[in-house]
Amino acid sequence: MSQKQLLTQDLTVSQILRTYGKQFRQITEQYSDGHNGRCAMGVVMSYFGWDGKHDSDITTSLQAALPTLANANLRDDFFIIELNDSGMTFDEIADYLDQHYH
């Protein structure tokens, strides 16, 4: 098992948003703007290896993120997308997830 896999298993979705999200400018309506902009789910997928390019294969990164979403009792990524697009910051989404999903 690689060091990256060991590290990713320990972080929750909210921890990923709080720490890794600082590297990106938050956007809405899409996972990535192809540059430094990401929505909340885009941050999670980037943490799991997605480079943010629309033409790259995001399936692998999304599949890698699914166990972390499941650990937070999130069945899919749509809820995180809704929170992001409603105007909540990455930290606000992380706080909400910590309060409502364990």
Side-chain angles (χ1 to χ4, degrees), residues 6-102:
L6 288 171
L7 292 173
T8 56
Q9 289 179 347
D10 293 333
L11 287 187
T12 64
V13 172
S14 57
Q15 289 169 325
I16 292 168
L17 289 174
R18 282 195 187 95
T19 58
Y20 200 62
K22 291 182 182 6
Q23 299 179 29
F24 301 103
R25 181 178 52 80
Q26 190 168 3
I27 61 170
T28 59
E29 308 296 326
Q30 55 186 353
Y31 289 133
S32 169
D33 63 2
H35 302 287
N36 200 41
R38 298 282 192 285
C39 77
M41 195 59 215
V43 168
V44 173
M45 290 189 302
S46 292
Y47 180 75
F48 285 97
W50 183 47
D51 66 3
K53 303 291 186 218
H54 292 290
D55 57 355
S56 69
D57 180 18
I58 66 171
T59 305
T60 304
S61 297
L62 185 54
Q63 286 176 335
L66 289 177
T68 301
L69 294 173
N71 287 342
N73 292 320
L74 296 167
R75 300 285 178 250
D76 56 51
D77 63 349
F78 300 112
F79 184 66
I80 294 173
I81 293 169
E82 288 176 16
L83 294 176
N84 183 86
D85 290 356
S86 75
M88 293 174 78
T89 66
F90 293 151
D91 284 339
E92 289 170 340
I93 295 169
D95 289 344
Y96 184 89
L97 294 176
D98 284 345
Q99 291 168 7
H100 296 92
Y101 296 88
H102 302 305

